[in-house]
């Protein structure tokens, strides 16, 4: 390699000089710490980690690179000065720590960075706690007894804000919208059976009064038959010696696969036979017959995509929330523009934009939409066909009735529909009951609905919902005369409702006003309702007024007149605190007092008082008294309800002056599970579904639970929708209250397993909830893996030595990273790794700090799913010096002669001798050696070193003269910053 003499000297002396600045400019070399220890640091947003601390006396000096990385405070390493710089807590708060130039910059001011403020460790820069307080507002406290570290922060920490946002971004998002979700294959599709035992809901009650005894019972049966679901209802009533038994509601339904995907428009989704309730407008009611439809069983959730865009501060973080739940997020571009394609769901939809500007400001923008289920996606067609014999009070009718309707989504904001009812009269004549209608969304938040039944009536509804929850709804209906559906002779009716929420001194309050008017040839009926309610702490107050004005139209034979009736009700509700200071027997008690006032009588008509208290956690006792102030009669009520695990019981006693009654009821449900067990429940289960989740240790790795394999009793299976989970005595977790035919996502929470060494091979899966019964889901568990390895560095002799104190980063396939630490011998290990692919690497930040690289740079490995757990060793790294940049000489560079080599050796020897003499505080001898070196070759590093020696000798003017001369020759050379006050 062709190197010039001056260039070699420049490189060598720069290295020596830089090291000298770190030690000699502070008047003496830094003292070594009394100890280096690992402190336990616990923080809600980080968890529990270990932080290295250099202890001087009783003061912990903390590594700035490690601390800022843990707290996710943005910072970058300045390699030349081995310092750090960044922006915190706001975008205008620049800070920099420069140990070479003893410079500390914060809040626009530059101060001296004292030698006592830092310690240059081998792998990081250790900072005094006061510096953390001054720059970052971080107050660290150490406990030497427990070797723990605690933190108080003056500003919101980035790691806290990030965790909050991450929690929101991962919470209750639809599976399709969550990119970070584990893949959940459909392992349990719909499983049809010819016959499968199902569920029975029951309700039995008996009431005793002064004069009679009444017994009632209800059985609702659900099962699977012929590949579909079947339900039937049996009721009986016994009064004194008379008993009535009735069987009705018997219905069989076959659901096709297309019914489970609401986003598809298929030709047929379900066929039903038996008792069917019609959906027509002529009130056919219940029939016994057949029906078919292409409406999905699972409700449609999304109708359209709504573009939401705008401008804000550039580089702001913008979040889109629907109903308070985060659905998307992005960063505004360099001009501040953002754009979302938000899915519009059915129902009332509240959209919120939450913007985090770079300056730390939070901006909120709200919008509200309402999408009824009458809307269809563009191009979708749905229909319903129903026909059969009508049910009457005496049994079944003789004439066939029917209904049919069809709807079409013209656009996502306009749906049209038409239908007809076939309902013969007693003479067998079937007048046509045809109707048409439309639903429209205007300007996103205004809804209009129109229904027309020719020769009968036309009805129009409109509503609007604003972002502050204020709403207005209006209805108008015009009747055509001589209609069979208008036997009362109405001409028209209309209504208006208005609701406005507001706050009173920070407390919620709201006003609701509604009015209706119904007109006929002889009578005009007007009604008015007004409500005001507010909450003041635990007290809720409500005032309600209801009034009716009837106007009788005068005729030739009758005199017109008006009558008014009305009531005003006021109530106060108070809930006692559950704090320990409240007596236990009234803790959490609910108290309500209510008064009813009659404006016509100008007196109170009724007063009541109700006390309600939770007992034994699952029970509730109610005590009430109602007083009729007009008749002077009172009614005492006592009730007790208790939810047992397997059924619910309710008792009610009523006592008046001349009457008494007592009623006792029992309700619940029984279900048959795949193991042949009868599963009781205190809630109805018919038309619902359930699963039995069996977690077991798969010893032979065949994926099936074999006899003798251990069952793990744990509620570790988490569903993406609500359900009730109970662990049985057999260790199996049964989830009830699932919606039949819906597809659920199940994910295993490994942190909920009782043994931390267990994990599933398939962390997430999907299943279809079969109707009216439980299905078994088996999830095999395996022992988790253990890894170990070493980090070595090469010694001068070429041997490998273990390197302690380094951070090793372990990253899984989802990008989640854990930090491991090497022990004093360079070793590291980790356990509890679930089966999957991982990557190991030595912390690049530490490698950059010590100017090293690792061989290999990364290690990829796989933890296999084995019954006894996987063990991987020899995950070793070797640290090597980073390769130096190529040194480019001039065009006349040539191979160094022996004379030049001898000259280089002499110059370097004199320079090194001068450095060592400075460390021994022999400044005059050091100056002499340095002058001899400069006589041979003048270098900018040598001039800078000479300035440093003059500084240590107290000759500040000469020191600055040589420092500035060195800086003129090489602006990159590190020298101290001159104090302007001294300079003047």
């Amino acid at each position: 390699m062709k190197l010039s003499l001056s260039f070699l000297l420049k490189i060598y002396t720069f290295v020596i000089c830089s090291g000298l600045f770190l030690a000699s400019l502070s008047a003496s070399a830094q003292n070594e710490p009394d100890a280096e220890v690992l402190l336990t640091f616990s923080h809600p947003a980080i968890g529990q980690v270990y932080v290295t601390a250099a202890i001087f006396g009783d003061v912990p000096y903390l590594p700035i690179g490690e601390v800022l990385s843990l707290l996710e405070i943005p910072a970058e390493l300045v390699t030349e000065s081995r310092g750090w710089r960044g922006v915190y807590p706001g975008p205008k708060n620049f800070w920099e720590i420069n140990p070479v130039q003893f410079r500390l910059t914060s809040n626009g001011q530059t101060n001296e960075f004292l030698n006592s403020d830092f310690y240059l460790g081998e792998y990081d820069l250790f900072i005094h706690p006061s510096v953390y307080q001054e720059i970052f507002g971080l107050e660290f406290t150490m406990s030497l007894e427990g070797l723990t570290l605690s933190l108080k922060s003056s500003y919101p920490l980035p790691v806290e804000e990030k965790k909050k946002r991450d929690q929101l971004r991962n919470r209750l998002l639809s599976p399709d919208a969550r990119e970070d979700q584990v893949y959940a294959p459909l392992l349990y599709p719909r499983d049809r059976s010819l016959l499968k035992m199902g569920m029975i809901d029951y309700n039995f009650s008996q009431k005793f009064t002064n004069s009679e005894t009444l017994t009632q019972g209800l059985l609702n049966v659900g099962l699977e038959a012929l590949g579909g679901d079947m339900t039937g209802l049996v009721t009986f009533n016994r009064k004194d010696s008379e008993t009535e038994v009735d069987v009705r509601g018997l219905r069989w339904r076959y659901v096709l696969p297309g019914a489970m995907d609401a986003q598809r428009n298929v030709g047929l989704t379900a066929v039903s036979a038996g008792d069917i309730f019609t959906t027509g407008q002529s009130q056919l009611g219940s029939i016994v017959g057949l029906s078919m439809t292409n409406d999905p069983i699972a409700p449609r959730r999304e109708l359209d995509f709504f573009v939401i865009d705008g401008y804000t501060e550039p580089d702001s973080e913008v979040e889109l929330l629907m109903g308070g739940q985060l659905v998307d997020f992005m960063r505004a571009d360099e001009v501040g523009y953002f754009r979302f394609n938000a899915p519009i769901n059915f129902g009332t939809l509240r959209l919120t934009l939450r913007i985090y500007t770079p300056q730390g400001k939070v901006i909120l923008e709200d919008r509200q939409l309402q999408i009824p289920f009458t809307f269809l996606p563009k191009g979708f067609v749905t229909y319903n066909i129903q026909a059969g014999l009508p049910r009457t009070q005496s049994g079944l009718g003789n004439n066939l009735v029917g209904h049919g309707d069809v709807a079409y989504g013209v656009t996502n904001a306009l749906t049209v529909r038409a239908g007809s009812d076939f309902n013969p009269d007693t003479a067998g004549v079937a007048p046509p009951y045809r109707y048409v209608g439309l639903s429209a969304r205007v300007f996103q938040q205004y809804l209009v609905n129109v229904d027309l039944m020719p020769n009968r009536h036309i009805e129009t509804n409109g509503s609007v919902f604003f972002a502050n929850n204020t709403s207005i709804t209006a209805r108008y209906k015009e009747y055509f005369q001589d209609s069979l559906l208008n036997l009362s002779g109405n001409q028209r009716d209309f209504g208006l409702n208005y609701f406005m929420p507001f706050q009173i001194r920070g407390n919620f309050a709201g006003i609701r006003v509604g009015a209706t008017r119904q007109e006929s040839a002889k009578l005009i009926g007007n009604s008015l309702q007004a409500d005001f309610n507010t909450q003041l702490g635990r007290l809720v107050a409500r005032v309600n007024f209801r009034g009716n004005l009837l106007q009788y139209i005068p005729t030739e034979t009758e005199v017109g007149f008006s009558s008014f009736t009305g009531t005003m009700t006021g109530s106060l509700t108070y809930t006692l605190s559950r704090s320990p200071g409240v007596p236990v027997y009234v803790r959490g008690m609910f108290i309500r007092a209510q008064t009813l006032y009659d404006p016509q009588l100008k007196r109170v008509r009724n007063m009541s008082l109700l006390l309600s208290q939770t007992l034994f956690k699952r029970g509730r006792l109610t005590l009430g008294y109602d007083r009729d102030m007009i008749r002077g009669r009172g009614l005492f009520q006592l009730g007790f309800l208790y939810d047992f695990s397997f059924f619910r019981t309710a008792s009610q006693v009523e006592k008046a002056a001349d009457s008494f009654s007592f009623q006792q009821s029992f309700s619940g449900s029984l279900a048959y599970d795949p193991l042949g067990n009868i599963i009781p429940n205190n809630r109805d289960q018919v038309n619902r579904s359930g699963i039995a989740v069996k977690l077991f240790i798969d010893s032979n790795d065949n994926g099936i639970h074999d006899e003798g394999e251990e069952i793990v009793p744990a509620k570790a299976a988490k569903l993406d929708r609500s359900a009730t989970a109970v662990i049985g005595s057999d260790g199996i977790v049964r989830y009830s209250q699932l919606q039949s035919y819906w597809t659920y996502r199940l994910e295993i929470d490994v942190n909920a397993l009782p043994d931390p060494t267990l994990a599933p091979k398939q962390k997430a899966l999907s299943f279809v909830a079969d109707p009216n019964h439980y299905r078994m889901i088996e999830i095999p568990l395996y022992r988790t893996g253990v890894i170990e390895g070493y980090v070595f560095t090469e010694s001068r002799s070429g041997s490998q030595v273990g390197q302690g104190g380094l951070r090793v980063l372990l990253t899984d396939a989802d990008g989640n990273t854990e930090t491991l630490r090497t022990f004093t011998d360079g070793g590291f290990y980790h356990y509890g790794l679930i089966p999957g692919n991982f990557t190991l690497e030595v912390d690049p930040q530490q490698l950059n700090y010590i100017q090293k690289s690792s061989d290999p740079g990364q290690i990829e490995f796989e933890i296999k799913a084995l019954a006894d757990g996987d063990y991987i060793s020899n995950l070793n790294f070797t640290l090597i010096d980073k390769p130096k940049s190529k040194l480019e000489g001039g065009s006349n560079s040539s191979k160094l002669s022996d004379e030049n080599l001898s000259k280089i050796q002499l110059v370097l020897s004199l320079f090194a001798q001068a450095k060592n003499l400075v460390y021994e505080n022999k400044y005059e001898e050091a100056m002499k050696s340095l002058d001899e070196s400069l006589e041979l070759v003048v270098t900018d590093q040598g001039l800078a070193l000479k300035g440093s020696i003059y500084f240590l000798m107290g000759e500040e003017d000469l020191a600055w003269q040589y420092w500035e001369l060195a800086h003129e020759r090489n602006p990159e050379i590190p020298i101290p910053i001159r104090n302007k006050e001294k300079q003047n």
Side-chain angles (χ1 to χ4, degrees), residues 913-914 916-927 949:
Q913 185 179 19
N916 292 331
L917 289 171
V918 170
Y919 285 142
E920 297 174 3
N921 298 327
K922 299 178 180 179
Y923 304 132
E924 294 184 357
E925 297 179 20
M927 184 68 78
I949 297 175

Side-chain angles (χ1 to χ4, degrees), residues 769-787:
D770 289 337
N772 290 330
H773 70 87
Y774 282 76
R775 72 182 305 176
M776 178 65 71
I777 294 180
E778 295 185 345
I779 300 178
L781 302 177
Y782 304 89
R783 298 292 175 186
T784 53
V786 178
I787 61 170

Side-chain angles (χ1 to χ4, degrees), residues 601-829:
L601 300 177
K602 296 182 179 181
R603 61 180 298 186
V604 174
R605 288 179 52 184
N606 183 276
M607 298 181 68
S608 63
L609 178 67
L610 177 68
L611 307 179
S612 181
Q613 171 70 341
T614 300
L615 293 181
F616 316 117
K617 294 184 179 180
R618 305 184 69 174
R620 177 159 288 274
L621 177 68
T622 58
L623 180 65
Y625 181 76
D626 188 274
R627 182 73 176 177
D628 187 334
M629 306 301 292
I630 303 296
R631 297 182 177 89
R633 301 179 60 181
L635 176 66
F636 173 81
Q637 298 174 322
L638 176 65
F640 180 69
L641 184 147
Y642 194 85
D643 262 339
F644 292 92
S645 301
F646 307 133
F647 66 93
R648 172 186 287 191
T649 176
S651 306
Q652 181 77 25
V653 177
E654 292 185 356
K655 179 68 173 68
D658 55 355
S659 65
F660 171 83
S661 69
F662 171 74
Q663 182 172 341
Q664 177 67 50
S665 66
F666 299 92
S667 61
S669 180
L670 301 174
Y672 186 83
D673 80 347
L675 299 178
N677 300 316
I678 302 298
I679 308 301
N681 198 295
N682 60 5
R683 293 292 186 271
D684 292 346
Q685 298 187 89
V686 173
N687 290 323
R688 299 290 181 90
S689 179
I691 57 172
V693 178
K694 182 192 296 184
L695 304 173
F696 67 96
I697 301 177
D698 190 9
S699 302
N700 56 7
D701 196 19
N702 66 350
I704 302 173
H705 181 241
D706 300 312
E707 186 176 355
E709 289 182 332
E710 180 183 353
I711 295 177
V712 179
K715 292 183 180 179
K718 309 300 180 183
L719 302 183
D720 60 344
R721 296 183 180 93
S722 61
T724 302
V726 177
I727 299 181
S729 58
D730 54 2
I732 297 176
V733 186
R734 292 171 176 85
Y735 295 79
S736 60
Q737 303 302 312
L738 276 61
Q739 299 292 335
S740 296
Y741 299 106
W742 285 24
T743 299
Y744 283 79
R745 172 189 171 86
L746 183 151
E747 188 168 348
I748 299 300
D749 180 7
V750 294
N751 296 320
L753 295 172
D755 187 341
T757 66
L758 294 176
K761 183 186 298 185
Q762 185 71 48
K763 190 176 180 180
L765 59 90
S766 298
F767 66 90
V768 176
D770 289 337
N772 290 330
H773 70 87
Y774 282 76
R775 72 182 305 176
M776 178 65 71
I777 294 180
E778 295 185 345
I779 300 178
L781 302 177
Y782 304 89
R783 298 292 175 186
T784 53
V786 178
I787 61 170
E788 70 168 354
Y790 287 85
V791 178
F792 298 107
T793 186
E794 292 187 353
S795 65
R796 293 183 178 179
S797 62
S799 61
Q800 290 188 331
V801 178
Q803 188 65 58
L806 287 177
R807 297 189 293 268
V808 180
L809 306 182
L810 174 67
T811 305
D812 63 18
D814 296 327
N816 302 311
T817 300
E818 292 187 68
T819 301
L820 316 181
R821 291 185 176 274
T822 60
F823 301 105
T824 54
D825 62 350
F828 63 88
Y829 76 93

